[in-house]
Amino acid sequence: MLVDYHTHHHRCGHASGNLEDYVEAAARARLSEVGLSDHSPIYHLGEDPHALPGTAMSHHEFSSYLKEMHVVRDRFRGRVQVRLGVESDYVLGWDEHYRALWRSMPLDYVIGSVHWLGQWSIFSPELPVGQSPDDVYDEYLHTTQAAARSGAYDVIGHLDCLKTRGHIPDLRLTPLLEDTVRVLADSGVAIELNTSGWRKGLGEPYPREELLAVCCHYGVPVTLGSDAHRPEDVAADFPRAAALLERVGYTSIMRFENRKKAPFPLR
Ligand SMILES: [Zn+2]
Ligand SMILES: [Zn+2]
C-alpha cells in the first residue's frame, strides 16, 4: 500500500483532468493515500498574465481549489484517503511570505519546489545571460537549502530537477551537494522520490539513485510522488520506485496530515 503525494490537475493550465479523476485513479491503483498538490500561483512574478501562461493556477482560482479538495476528500472517504496539499515555488527572499501564507491555509502538507531562480525558469533551454552552468548549479543548491530552512514546507520537491534540461554540470556528489543534504536533514523536511524523471525519458527519477542514497545516509525522510499531470500517471512506476527506496536503505515513507508527518512502512 503506497501513497502518491504529488499530483496536478487542470487548474495549473498544463495538466488534464479534474481533482476527482486523480483520486479515482489512486483508488483504482489501490493506493492508501493520495495527495493533491497542484501548482500554487507564482507570487514572485506578480499579476503579469504574460509571465504565467500555462505555468500555475491563477490567483483567483486558489479558493475554489481549496473548496473542491475538501469536497473530493469527503466523497472518497472510505475508499482512499485524500490529503490536501499544494506545490509552491520557493524563491530566495520569499520565506516570510510563504511561511505565513501556508500557515494560514487548511492544508495537510506543502511541497516546496525550486522551479525559478529569480525570473529564470530551470526548464529554460538556455542559461541566464552571463552565467555559467556552475553559477546556476550553485545558486540552485543554495536556493534549495534556503527552501528547506524557510520552515514554509513539509517536502522539498524533485531535488535534482535542474538536470531536466541538462543544466547540472556535475552529477557526482560535490561538497556543496553534500552540505545541502545535511541542511535537509537538519531542517526536518522530507524529500520526495518523484517518478516523473522516468516518464520524461531521463532514465532516472528525481533524485537520482546516488543522491537518494546520500539522503538516506543522512536520515532525510522521504515520501513518494508521481508528479502526475494526467490521471493515468497516478502511481506511475511505483513498484520500481519502492524497490529503489529499499535498495538505498529506506524502510518507510512519510504521510502527512495537518502539516505533521508520520512514517508508513514500505512493507
Ligand atoms: Zn506542472
Ligand atoms: Zn515541480
Side-chain angles (χ1 to χ4, degrees):
M1 295 285 266
L2 293 170
V3 301
D4 188 343
Y5 267 84
H6 196 146
T7 64
H8 295 277
H9 79 303
H10 69 85
R11 276 186 180 82
C12 69
H14 59 273
S16 60
N18 297 312
L19 291 176
E20 196 174 345
D21 301 326
Y22 287 81
V23 178
E24 186 63 51
R28 271 201 306 270
R30 298 181 173 279
L31 298 183
S32 58
E33 298 194 7
V34 60
L36 304 172
S37 60
D38 206 11
H39 299 282
S40 80
I42 302 179
Y43 296 91
H44 77 285
L45 295 180
E47 297 286 353
D48 176 5
H50 302 293
L52 301 169
T55 307
M57 78 176 77
S58 60
H59 294 240
H60 70 269
E61 283 202 284
F62 201 80
S63 60
S64 72
Y65 170 63
L66 279 176
K67 274 194 209 114
E68 194 181 324
M69 284 201 294
H70 281 92
V71 170
V72 169
R73 178 182 65 186
D74 293 346
R75 193 176 300 150
F76 280 84
R77 191 157 278 150
R79 280 186 71 200
V80 59
Q81 178 69 58
V82 177
R83 299 297 180 194
L84 279 46
V86 73
E87 181 179 15
S88 160
D89 293 283
Y90 175 77
V91 181
L92 282 177
W94 283 70
D95 302 41
E96 187 47 45
H97 169 85
Y98 283 119
R99 225 178 4 248
L101 179 68
W102 302 135
R103 204 181 281 146
S104 73
M105 302 271 181
L107 295 167
D108 290 310
Y109 70 105
V110 180
I111 301 174
S113 293
V114 180
H115 298 125
W116 297 87
L117 300 178
Q119 307 288 311
W120 182 74
S121 162
I122 65 164
F123 302 115
S124 306
E126 307 292 337
L127 291 172
V129 179
Q131 291 201 43
S132 70
D134 286 312
D135 295 337
V136 170
Y137 190 36
D138 203 82
E139 186 179 344
Y140 180 77
L141 290 178
H142 281 113
T143 305
T144 301
Q145 293 182 14
R149 284 199 188 99
S150 71
Y153 306 112
D154 306 294
V155 181
I156 299 299
H158 43 58
L159 214 48
D160 55 359
C161 200
L162 185 64
K163 73 187 174 192
T164 309
R165 288 308 199 100
H167 297 318
I168 295 188
D170 185 351
L171 286 163
R172 289 170 302 180
L173 184 66
T174 63
L176 181 58
L177 181 56
E178 194 163 1
D179 280 351
T180 304
V181 175
R182 280 196 207 100
V183 170
L184 292 167
D186 291 346
S187 63
V189 288
I191 57 160
E192 59 166 2
L193 177 55
N194 180 316
T195 64
S196 70
W198 278 314
R199 300 197 305 283
K200 290 180 188 171
L202 299 177
E204 58 185 30
Y206 306 106
R208 56 197 184 273
E209 179 164 351
E210 297 75 9
L211 180 51
L212 188 68
V214 176
C215 290
C216 184
H217 172 79
Y218 280 102
V220 181
V222 69
T223 190
L224 183 57
S226 64
D227 211 342
H229 285 71
R230 308 180 306 169
E232 56 265 45
D233 287 335
V234 168
D237 291 310
F238 271 23
R240 194 177 180 185
L244 171 57
L245 285 167
E246 289 192 308
R247 188 159 70 237
V248 302
Y250 280 107
T251 56
S252 63
I253 50 177
M254 293 295 144
R255 44 188 294 279
F256 296 85
E257 182 175 4
N258 219 349
R259 308 292 310 269
K260 290 202 166 45
K261 64 178 179 297
F264 195 89
L266 267 169
R267 34 164 116 230

